[in-house]
Amino acid sequence: MGYNHFIISGLLSGVLYLLYHKVNDTAILSKVLKWLLIFNFVSFNATLLLSGAFDYKTHLPIHLCYLTELGIFLSIIFKSNILYPWLALNALGGGITGFTNSNLSENALLIEYIHLYLSHFSLILFFIIIYLNKFTISRYAFIQSTIFNALLFFAVCYFNILVESNYWFTMHRPPGSNLAQLLPDWPGYLLGLISIGLFSYYFTFKLLLKNK
């Protein structure tokens, strides 16, 4: 993957930059996001199911970025912003992480790569939309979202033990070219990823605080 990942991520970042600076109508951006999410969900799951390649140990939407993507889609469908603080805090850092790291092996399917890029593109696009809409967040919502993610983490740990999966990479390092490869063995890399996640959460919180 290597350089190709950064080239594709760079191109997608350029598209996001243009959307942020050239398109001021968040209603249009929201429609783009909605149909992008539908295409991503349908193409990914349909391709894997029809080809017999779907594996519940790796393809369920349990990773935090994919949970966030699903939450964004449901929020759009039901026209609810109740999850917005949690989604916003996950989206920016998650999107940037997906653009700068890959958790896919060299043997990954093409649809898995497409899903990876579209998912993280969607996360950043969602953040751009709410940022343009002057969305802000309270300290209480920040604490609530942090605790919710902690509870999710322990639930995912339990699920991984039950089915021998590696969601949230709690059992071993993710494959592919990513920061975890540079960190110490378990639990060192996991603690490092958690620390980076908490920093991302706090940075996004401070950024949204100023968005008034």
Side-chain angles (χ1 to χ4, degrees):
M1 191 63 177
Y3 295 115
N4 289 336
H5 178 71
F6 289 107
I7 292 172
I8 296 171
S9 295
L11 291 173
L12 292 175
S13 297
V15 173
L16 288 166
Y17 177 85
L18 291 174
L19 290 175
Y20 177 72
H21 286 281
K22 300 298 182 181
V23 182
N24 296 317
D25 192 336
T26 55
I28 293 176
L29 292 178
S30 295
K31 289 180 181 178
V32 171
L33 176 60
K34 176 183 175 180
W35 287 107
L36 185 63
L37 290 170
I38 291 173
F39 173 78
N40 196 19
F41 289 141
V42 173
S43 62
F44 179 68
N45 290 290
T47 300
L48 292 176
L49 289 170
L50 292 174
S51 66
F54 186 87
D55 184 353
Y56 69 91
K57 292 185 179 182
T58 57
H59 295 133
L60 292 176
I62 295 179
H63 283 299
L64 185 56
C65 286
Y66 301 139
L67 274 177
T68 303
E69 184 188 24
L70 181 60
I72 292 170
F73 180 68
L74 293 176
S75 296
I76 293 173
I77 295 300
F78 292 105
K79 299 179 180 179
S80 170
N81 61 2
I82 190 171
L83 293 177
Y84 269 29
W86 177 69
L87 297 174
L89 290 168
N90 289 338
L92 181 60
I96 293 173
T97 298
F99 275 3
T100 54
N101 296 267
S102 172
N103 61 0
L104 297 177
S105 69
E106 294 181 356
N107 298 321
L109 301 171
L110 175 61
I111 192 62
E112 293 179 300
Y113 282 111
I114 294 172
H115 182 245
L116 171 75
Y117 292 117
L118 289 184
S119 296
H120 293 93
F121 181 92
S122 298
L123 294 184
I124 300 179
L125 179 56
F126 169 76
F127 188 85
I128 288 173
I129 292 168
I130 62 172
Y131 191 81
L132 288 173
N133 282 334
K134 299 298 181 181
F135 178 78
T136 189
I137 189 171
S138 68
R139 190 174 301 274
Y140 178 70
F142 169 73
I143 294 172
Q144 269 191 323
S145 298
T146 304
I147 293 173
F148 184 56
N149 267 2
L151 294 175
L152 280 176
F153 174 80
F154 289 115
V156 171
C157 286
Y158 182 66
F159 181 82
N160 284 337
I161 293 171
L162 285 180
V163 304
E164 298 182 347
S165 55
N166 190 38
Y167 293 107
W168 291 41
F169 315 120
T170 64
M171 307 298 283
H172 52 79
R173 285 188 181 93
S177 301
N178 52 72
L179 183 61
Q181 307 301 328
L182 303 177
L183 298 175
D185 292 337
W186 192 96
Y189 78 87
L190 184 58
L191 295 174
L193 295 179
I194 291 172
S195 298
I196 293 170
L198 289 173
F199 172 79
S200 169
Y201 239 53
Y202 184 73
F203 173 81
T204 306
F205 167 62
K206 298 298 286 186
L207 181 64
L208 290 174
L209 268 184
K210 297 178 181 178
N211 194 31
K212 296 180 179 178

